[in-house]
Amino acid sequence: MAQHPLIQKFEQAGQGHVFAFFAQLPPAAQEQLLAEAGEIDLDEIAHLTKTLLQKGAASVNLQGLEPSPYELRPESGGNAADWARAKATGEAALRAGRVAAFTVAGGQGTRLGYDGPKGTYPVTPLKQKTLFQVFAEKIRAAGLRYGKAIHWFIMTSHQNHAATEAFFKEHKFFGLAETHVHFFRQGRMPAVDLQGKILLDSKQSIAMSPDGHGGSLRALERSGALDLMEREGIDTISYFQVDNPLVRAIDPAFIGWHIERRSEMSSKMVPKAYPEEKLGHFCVQDGKLVVIEYSDLPMEMQRETDSNGRLRYLAGSIAIHVLDRQFVRRMAAGGEGVALPFHRADKKIPTIDAQGNPVKPEKANGVKFEMFVFDALPFAKNPVVIETLRADDFSPVKNAEGVDSPKTCREDQLRQFARWLKANGAEIATDDTGLPSVAIEVGPLFGYDEDSFAESWARLSEKPRLAEGLYLG
Ligand code: UTP
């Protein structure tokens, strides 16, 4: 029997082992393996092996790197009138229906070790609302506030797509119109061993993994999401990650800065809390905005201080952006020099040996290739970085314990609720970190930021007693 042309191509590329068990497989399994293999760009894998795996692979270029400027908040010395104007501009865009929410939810969430799409993880202190429910309610509340329902785009992966859709159906889209919630799958990449050989995870399937949050740009285009946005008159995309329930999912001031500056991609920064904090750094290089990962910026640079004793590389990236729709289209189209680079991540990748027996590696045995969305920044015109308050925007659930865990996130939510209550005259006992002594929760439909909370609070004719277990929703 003549060999399948795809198998020949793999053999020519030195990847013939992918089909080592092909002859033993039933026809449906053969089809599956061929379909997966058909997704792979062998030239791209060869190029990545050469540039990222082989000795002498280029390290990150730090030539001419400078800290990036950013817009200071009024509390830090920024111009209050500029912020007020930006907010008004953002609110006008929301009223005009120009803004969509976009959540990247295709990650594997291995550090949290939770079985299921990360968005289905319960995070709130009392009601145990899931991440998806928190975002859904914030988006719904903002839509009600501005008199225009907001479309929500959610990027999933092959692994979690069906489970994510089923979760939303089961929960009736948390009160959002089904027509306004759009799921689409991101692309994937094969994992390779340390020599660049594609890894199988069984005799009939390739070890494939999502292509990183940077894959969102081409997935937005390929899925038709950008066309849908265009038809709906949406030109501004509010991007956030699935693991951060504190995020101002719809932030008029941020949207306003982006629009007023005619920025194609905007970002939020927080001042790094300490030099070793694991955040990317906003920097400028050759006149372009770049993010340098913490693992790529030498520790002596991370520790550098300015004449005021402040960290020089202070601006930490918290993965919150506003993207211009046409910019995403341009990035997705690619072309001469316009492409997000892949990064390598060394991982323990379950695979099979030459006899087809399962192997569970104890240490990293292979590499996954991922794109990062912040690598689009150097391509963006007029990129703007604004300062935000960490306490009101950033407390991700990354790890099962310790920093950025369900516990720290729960406490940060409690602190935020207590701050809103105190700012509106409620008496609530807190410790010196602002943590209230009673467990309370504010549902996003009551208040999703300080303004919406203040309005709902003012409307209460009788103020509730702040007892353990109080829920304002
Ligand atoms: P992380 O970098 O925290 O990765 O993703 P992760 O896969 O969720 O978690 P670990 O590293 O396995 O523990 C940050 C955000 O980017 C999304 C995630 O869903 C999360 O919202 N993401 C990441 C994607 O959407 N796709 C990817 O391929 C990777």
Side-chain angles (χ1 to χ4, degrees):
M1 202 176 74
Q3 202 177 34
H4 193 286
L6 195 59
I7 302 181
Q8 274 176 13
K9 267 177 62 183
F10 270 63
E11 278 180 357
Q12 282 155 12
Q15 302 284 10
H17 62 282
V18 165
F19 294 97
F21 305 98
F22 192 71
Q24 311 168 7
L25 299 175
Q30 289 187 335
E31 284 304 316
Q32 181 193 325
L33 185 56
L34 284 168
E36 283 179 3
E39 278 182 41
I40 297 173
D41 179 339
L42 290 166
D43 291 340
E44 185 167 61
I45 299 300
H47 174 71
L48 294 175
T49 300
K50 204 156 147 220
T51 51
L52 295 178
L53 261 59
Q54 288 173 359
K55 281 211 176 63
S59 55
V60 171
N61 169 19
L62 302 174
Q63 206 71 39
L65 203 68
E66 287 291 326
S68 153
Y70 54 87
E71 293 302 330
L72 290 167
R73 285 188 54 85
E75 313 69 325
S76 318
N79 183 318
D82 288 348
W83 280 81
R85 204 184 52 238
K87 187 170 168 192
T89 300
E91 288 180 331
L94 285 157
R95 276 188 216 102
R98 287 175 57 189
V99 182
F102 177 35
T103 308
V104 284
Q108 293 177 304
T110 35
R111 282 170 289 172
L112 184 60
Y114 166 71
D115 194 20
K118 204 167 183 180
T120 67
Y121 188 79
V123 279
T124 69
L126 285 181
K127 296 279 176 184
Q128 292 292 300
K129 290 183 189 177
T130 61
L131 286 156
F132 279 141
Q133 180 169 1
V134 172
F135 302 135
E137 291 185 357
K138 286 187 176 188
I139 291 166
R140 186 164 157 227
L144 292 169
R145 182 179 175 86
Y146 296 109
K148 190 88 189 169
I150 295 170
H151 283 266
W152 186 16
F153 294 81
I154 300 171
M155 184 174 81
T156 62
S157 65
H158 281 69
Q159 285 98 322
N160 71 21
H161 186 83
T164 302
E165 273 195 328
F167 186 75
F168 274 80
K169 285 215 171 82
E170 185 190 333
H171 294 280
K172 304 205 163 42
F173 292 81
F174 304 104
L176 292 167
E178 196 173 333
T179 50
H180 279 58
V181 186
H182 315 278
F183 305 94
F184 61 90
R185 249 181 275 234
Q186 70 177 106
R188 47 187 189 167
M189 288 289 281
V192 299
D193 71 11
L194 298 168
Q195 282 69 48
K197 298 279 181 214
I198 293 172
L199 288 169
L200 288 175
D201 69 2
S202 72
K203 290 180 180 176
Q204 66 187 59
S205 108
I206 297 170
M208 300 281 251
S209 55
D211 59 1
H213 41 67
S216 60
L217 303 183
R218 50 198 203 191
L220 276 165
E221 176 70 297
R222 203 174 39 219
S223 64
L226 297 180
D227 293 334
L228 197 157
M229 289 180 193
E230 193 162 350
R231 286 197 300 278
E232 293 290 330
I234 296 164
D235 58 9
T236 305
I237 305 168
S238 176
Y239 170 107
F240 55 91
Q241 301 192 331
V242 76
D243 52 22
N244 177 22
L246 228 62
V247 66
R248 291 178 187 265
I250 299 296
D251 181 347
F254 186 30
I255 292 163
W257 276 111
H258 171 86
I259 292 175
E260 289 192 350
R261 288 288 177 82
R262 298 182 173 279
S263 161
E264 288 189 318
M265 180 167 177
S266 306
S267 310
K268 281 187 176 170
M269 65 70 80
V270 294
K272 277 180 76 177
Y274 48 93
E276 299 76 19
E277 191 179 15
K278 292 184 169 173
L279 293 179
H281 305 82
F282 287 108
C283 299
V284 176
Q285 190 173 40
D286 295 334
K288 300 210 181 302
L289 182 64
V290 294
V291 169
I292 304 291
E293 284 186 274
Y294 58 84
S295 47
D296 288 330
L297 193 65
M299 194 39 81
E300 63 270 19
M301 288 176 78
Q302 299 197 42
R303 294 205 177 110
E304 270 175 40
T305 48
D306 62 18
S307 52
N308 299 318
R310 300 218 323 158
L311 288 179
R312 231 179 127 237
Y313 292 93
L314 186 67
S317 171
I318 51 172
I320 302 174
H321 304 282
V322 175
L323 291 152
D324 172 67
R325 187 196 70 223
Q326 287 302 91
F327 172 63
V328 178
R329 255 205 220 289
R330 202 172 81 230
M331 290 304 300
E336 211 34 51
V338 182
L340 298 191
F342 276 97
H343 298 253
R344 75 179 266 182
D346 294 23
K347 302 261 175 174
K348 291 183 232 167
I349 300 163
T351 182
I352 54 172
D353 64 17
Q355 285 68 48
N357 301 313
V359 178
K360 260 199 139 223
E362 310 256 294
K363 56 180 189 91
N365 62 325
V367 171
K368 291 182 179 179
F369 297 117
E370 291 195 348
M371 288 178 281
F372 298 153
V373 78
F374 55 72
D375 281 328
L377 285 168
F379 298 99
K381 292 192 193 104
N382 312 320
V384 52
V385 181
I386 67 162
E387 184 184 10
T388 191
L389 299 177
R390 184 188 293 254
D392 283 326
D393 238 333
F394 187 58
S395 185
V397 177
K398 296 273 187 205
N399 307 304
E401 280 166 15
V403 287
D404 296 342
S405 64
K407 178 169 185 285
T408 55
C409 181
R410 175 180 190 273
E411 292 180 353
D412 286 339
Q413 292 173 68
L414 286 167
R415 289 187 185 96
Q416 185 182 56
F417 303 145
R419 270 197 315 280
W420 289 346
L421 283 157
K422 276 188 175 176
N424 287 279
E427 278 185 25
I428 178 163
T430 56
D431 69 11
D432 51 11
T433 71
L435 190 64
S437 51
V438 290
I440 45 172
E441 181 170 329
V442 178
L445 289 157
F446 186 91
Y448 63 94
D449 60 12
E450 60 279 12
D451 289 357
S452 52
F453 178 87
E455 284 170 16
S456 294
W457 184 257
R459 275 198 298 269
L460 290 179
S461 47
E462 207 175 312
K463 306 296 184 228
R465 228 173 52 80
L466 294 175
E468 181 79 19
L470 175 74
Y471 174 68
L472 293 169

